[in-house]
Amino acid sequence: MQAVVLVGGEGTRLRPLTLETPKPMIPVMNMPFLERTLRRLKEAGIEDVILPAGYLPEAITSHFGDGSSLGLRVRYVIEETPLGTAGALKNVADFITGPFFVLNGDVLTSLDLRAMLAAHREKGGLGTLHLIRVDDPSAFGCVVHDPDGRISAFVEKPERDKAPTNEVNAGTYLLEREVLDAIPAGRPVSIERETFPQLIAAGRPLYGYTTDDYWIDLGKPEAYLGAHRNVFDGVMPLGLTPDIDGPGRESVPTTAIRPPVFIGNGCAVDSSAVIGPYTVLGDGCSVGAGAVVADSLLWDRVTVDAGARVDAAIVASRARIGAGARIAHGSVIGHDAVIEPGTHVEENARIVAVD
Ligand code: GTP
């Protein structure tokens, strides 16, 4: 079994985090999300992985190489211009030898891929789409199907009171190779908006596979933060226990810890600082006397100087929060940004480093 993980998007909604780090490589509990996805594929017995990339591809290729360190065969196809979610599949057609999984590179889910494969084989359709139920489908692609699961319609982002169903496309597909014949070559094509609706219009059998799994699209800062909270609370199993506190936990004074936290390697934290709850420190972070970091995600080598306060924020690698500065809820601080001492950064701010 093969898998294609779509990793070519620009991740505009996650800027400035994605100005230097492509969205699939943003850390989830201090590990690049794509590494967690590839480990999940390996656990499901899927060892042949194709990555259609395009945006900052070196960050991906240099981390995974040929995939052998994860026990996988990983191959890359770099798009010169983005080909869209179906165009990217057409572009890797030469590598595909049979039925294959397609995973959006930004979906965190507890979906059991083996169970989905079994469902696909049982139905015998051209494709099986993972669906989940949501309270408000207006931001998603609704998928209408009969009681047997056979899909009859796709409705993109309907008004809430006009939505035909609350079952939505969850971004994991299992497709027969034949689907690639339906995708035109050489231009951007969206699988959600173009290919799937066309297959349905042509009477081809696509099936929905609806589960109650944990599912979140990490594409926005609040979702990315919220996903961590869900992992800390055990709502999303990530296989971290008993290592939930992280490899660097022992090096941080107990007085500073407000569980739950995840501490990376090589952090230096003053005993009068407060770390947590719901906080991740990446590798090599430093937090000074009396500083508070709560409900926040710090990437690698972030410095929080004495008396600073970081609340429900995301701080990318190597940024520095000056002494006594305040970072308010929902803010995102980009790579290498420096927040001057005493500055108050307002809620939901987006701060980019000045060259
Ligand atoms: P936004 O710009 O914030 O919408 O993010 P995005 O560019 O990643 O788009 P979106 O979240 O819709 O993409 C869903 C998945 O498809 C992500 O894993 C993307 O990396 C991937 N993707 C989107 N467009 C392309 C593309 O043109 N080529 C490839 N190879 N992957 C893509």
Side-chain angles (χ1 to χ4, degrees), residues 6-13 23 52-53 79 82-85 88 104-106 219:
L6 295 168
V7 295
E10 289 193 17
T12 49
R13 292 165 298 161
K23 184 161 66 172
E79 294 159 33
L83 290 170
T85 44
N104 273 0
D106 53 0

Side-chain angles (χ1 to χ4, degrees), residues 62-311:
S62 65
H63 187 86
F64 297 107
D66 64 4
S68 53
S69 63
L70 295 174
L72 298 169
R73 177 187 199 196
V74 175
R75 288 173 289 175
Y76 308 88
V77 179
I78 312 293
E79 294 159 33
E80 280 180 22
T81 55
L83 290 170
T85 44
L89 299 181
K90 184 73 172 183
N91 200 40
V92 302
D94 287 349
F95 293 112
I96 306 292
T97 53
F100 59 105
F101 273 101
V102 179
L103 279 67
N104 273 0
D106 53 0
V107 165
L108 176 63
T109 178
S110 57
L111 169 69
D112 179 343
L113 295 169
R114 289 182 199 267
M116 183 163 162
L117 174 59
H120 177 75
R121 288 194 172 135
E122 189 196 318
K123 299 288 183 195
L126 193 60
T128 299
L129 284 60
H130 179 219
L131 310 181
I132 48 128
R133 298 182 190 90
V134 295
D135 291 336
D136 177 7
S138 62
F140 299 96
C142 290
V143 183
V144 184
H145 61 79
D146 71 11
D148 191 38
R150 185 155 173 170
I151 296 172
S152 57
F154 293 87
V155 183
E156 262 311 299
K157 301 190 173 74
E159 285 175 43
R160 190 171 185 171
D161 52 354
K162 294 194 181 126
T165 169
N166 68 342
E167 290 180 47
V168 303
N169 178 354
T172 303
Y173 319 122
L174 183 39
L175 306 177
E176 294 296 318
R177 199 185 178 288
E178 221 182 311
V179 169
L180 299 174
D181 300 337
I183 305 172
R187 68 166 174 90
V189 185
S190 159
I191 199 160
E192 306 88 343
R193 293 187 179 78
E194 210 173 321
T195 310
F196 287 151
Q198 281 172 359
L199 288 169
I200 292 302
R204 309 302 303 275
L206 295 180
Y207 286 88
Y209 175 65
T210 308
T211 74
D212 294 321
D213 280 290
Y214 179 87
W215 179 89
I216 197 166
D217 168 351
L218 298 169
K220 293 185 191 166
E222 54 275 24
Y224 175 52
L225 262 178
H228 280 82
R229 190 169 259 272
N230 294 152
V231 171
F232 275 125
D233 283 339
V235 178
M236 167 64 208
L238 208 55
L240 286 170
T241 32
D243 191 31
I244 188 86
D245 294 341
R249 168 64 186 86
E250 293 307 314
S251 62
V252 174
T254 301
T255 49
I257 297 288
R258 306 285 182 277
V261 296
F262 187 97
I263 311 288
N265 283 305
C267 292
V269 175
D270 190 272
S271 58
S272 66
V274 172
I275 307 295
Y278 296 103
T279 293
V280 178
L281 300 192
D283 294 343
C285 288
S286 141
V287 183
V292 177
V293 183
D295 291 292
S296 293
L297 308 176
L298 272 48
W299 292 11
D300 291 346
R301 288 184 283 148
V302 170
T303 303
V304 180
D305 286 330
R309 187 174 178 109
V310 181
D311 271 313

